[in-house]
């Protein structure tokens, strides 16, 4: 059993020690062949007081949608979560895992895959079909981006970076990064000036005053946002955009000089 458990965990890339896989089989569900893994989620200690003296009282069976390389063969983990009562504090609890959030049947790994697919030029319907979830699930994952990164409006990193990226239907979305560790601070569905001013205006004056630098491209309205929201911040133009601007100017000058020579001359050929 231990060998089977380790093999299934290795195949599914699951590292939770409290999950024990017992068997797997195929089953036809709604004219589609599903791969079912049966597992048990163990509660080793009381989450309230940490005591090990627990009274087990059955399981809660949850069917969890997991990642699959073949969309025609969905993978389901039939997880039996232990229900326990602590003999020390007399509190009831149920085993929880990082595999899936509480009261949810979609694995966190599947949500991350859906979120990654949302950055590409794909429709929500195709993303839902490829990941064996509903379109509503894809919309909920996208909607969670607006509050997933910062839960408090009392803090902002000292160094921020603004940019935009092309998402679904080729629309441009706004992204804000921490300039020190490059972690995502926030993703907004639009990059309009009104939306950005409204979002950053929610932060306290102390949090906005803590921002020292904001790195951005050459878009002029980003500079207006920095001046309006971050009184102590210095504007830093990204080196990539500076080099790109210099390269374009150099090429423009090169073409102008090149056109002054005869097309059959050596100088024309070298500049071309």
């Amino acid at each position: 059993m231990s060998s089977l458990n380790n093999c299934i965990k290795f195949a599914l890339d699951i590292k939770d020690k409290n999950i024990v896989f017992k068997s797997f089989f195929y089953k036809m569900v709604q004219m589609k062949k599903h791969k079912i893994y049966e597992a048990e989620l163990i509660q080793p200690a009381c989450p309230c007081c940490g005591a090990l003296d627990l009274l087990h009282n059955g399981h809660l069976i949850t069917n969890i949608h997991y990642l699959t390389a073949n969309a025609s063969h969905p993978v389901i983990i039939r997880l039996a979560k232990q229900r326990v009562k602590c003999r020390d504090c007399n509190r009831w609890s149920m085993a929880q895992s990082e595999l899936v959030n509480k009261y949810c049947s979609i694995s966190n790994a599947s949500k991350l895959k859906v979120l990654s697919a949302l950055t590409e030029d794909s429709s929500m319907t195709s993303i839902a079909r490829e990941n064996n979830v509903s379109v509503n699930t894809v919309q909920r994952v996208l909607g969670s981006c607006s509050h997933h990164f910062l839960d408090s409006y009392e803090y902002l990193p000292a160094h921020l970076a603004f940019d935009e990226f092309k998402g679904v239907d080729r629309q441009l979305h706004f992204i804000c990064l921490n300039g020190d560790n490059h972690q995502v601070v926030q993703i907004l569905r639009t990059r309009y000036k009104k939306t950005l001013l409204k979002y950053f205006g929610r932060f306290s004056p102390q949090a906005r005053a803590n921002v020292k630098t904001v790195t951005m491209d050459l878009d002029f309205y980003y500079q207006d946002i920095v001046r309006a929201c971050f009184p102590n911040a210095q504007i830093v133009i990204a080196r990539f955009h500076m080099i790109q601007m210099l390269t374009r100017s150099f090429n423009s000058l090169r073409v102008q000089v090149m056109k002054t020579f005869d097309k059959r001359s050596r100088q024309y050929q070298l500049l071309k």
Side-chain angles (χ1 to χ4, degrees), residues 30-240:
Q30 296 180 352
M31 304 300 293
K32 186 179 290 188
K33 191 176 183 180
H34 286 60
K35 183 184 290 186
I36 311 294
Y37 292 93
E38 289 190 334
E40 181 183 14
L41 179 57
I42 301 172
Q43 180 75 296
C46 177
C48 301
C49 64
L52 302 177
D53 190 8
L54 303 177
L55 175 65
H56 297 277
N57 184 25
H59 298 82
L60 175 66
I61 309 297
T62 305
N63 293 323
I64 301 172
H65 296 264
Y66 198 70
L67 298 176
T68 176
N70 187 355
S72 61
H73 291 165
V75 173
I76 301 294
I77 299 179
R78 187 168 293 172
L79 191 63
K81 301 179 181 179
Q82 282 188 351
R83 284 194 296 251
V84 298
K85 180 181 180 180
C86 179
R87 297 182 187 271
D88 291 351
C89 64
N90 292 325
R91 293 186 178 182
W92 291 91
S93 62
M94 186 173 296
Q96 300 296 330
S97 171
E98 294 182 356
L99 175 69
V100 63
N101 294 334
K102 193 175 182 180
Y103 308 123
C104 186
S105 61
I106 309 296
S107 66
N108 292 328
S110 298
K111 293 180 181 179
L112 288 175
K113 186 179 178 183
V114 169
L115 187 59
S116 176
L118 285 170
T119 62
E120 302 174 357
D121 189 14
S122 302
S123 65
M124 290 189 177
T125 303
S126 63
I127 294 174
R129 183 172 57 252
E130 292 172 0
N131 293 275
N132 293 299
V133 295
S134 64
V135 178
N136 290 335
T137 299
V138 178
Q139 293 175 345
R140 284 195 295 269
V141 171
L142 179 61
S144 66
C145 293
S146 8
H147 58 271
H148 176 72
F149 302 103
L150 278 182
D151 297 329
S152 173
Y153 294 105
E154 299 298 327
Y155 168 77
L156 276 172
H159 305 283
L160 296 176
F162 292 175
D163 205 352
E164 61 271 348
F165 66 94
K166 191 173 294 185
V168 181
D169 295 332
R170 299 187 177 274
Q171 294 183 359
L172 290 176
H173 307 288
F174 173 79
I175 183 171
C176 178
L177 301 177
N178 186 329
D180 292 326
N181 53 24
H182 297 170
Q183 290 185 353
V184 177
V185 175
Q186 187 57 273
I187 295 177
L188 300 177
R189 295 185 181 182
T190 63
R191 64 186 187 102
Y192 299 135
K193 183 177 179 179
K194 181 180 179 181
T195 304
L196 301 184
L197 288 174
K198 181 179 179 181
Y199 170 72
F200 286 111
R202 298 174 182 173
F203 288 89
S204 64
Q206 293 80 6
R208 290 187 278 113
N210 181 58
V211 179
K212 298 179 181 179
T213 64
V214 179
T215 305
M216 63 184 69
D217 54 20
L218 297 172
D219 286 345
F220 65 94
Y221 69 91
Y222 282 166
Q223 301 180 20
D224 295 339
I225 293 170
V226 173
R227 295 189 182 99
C229 298
F230 309 111
N232 300 327
Q234 293 184 351
I235 298 174
V236 179
I237 304 300
R239 288 179 294 179
F240 169 79

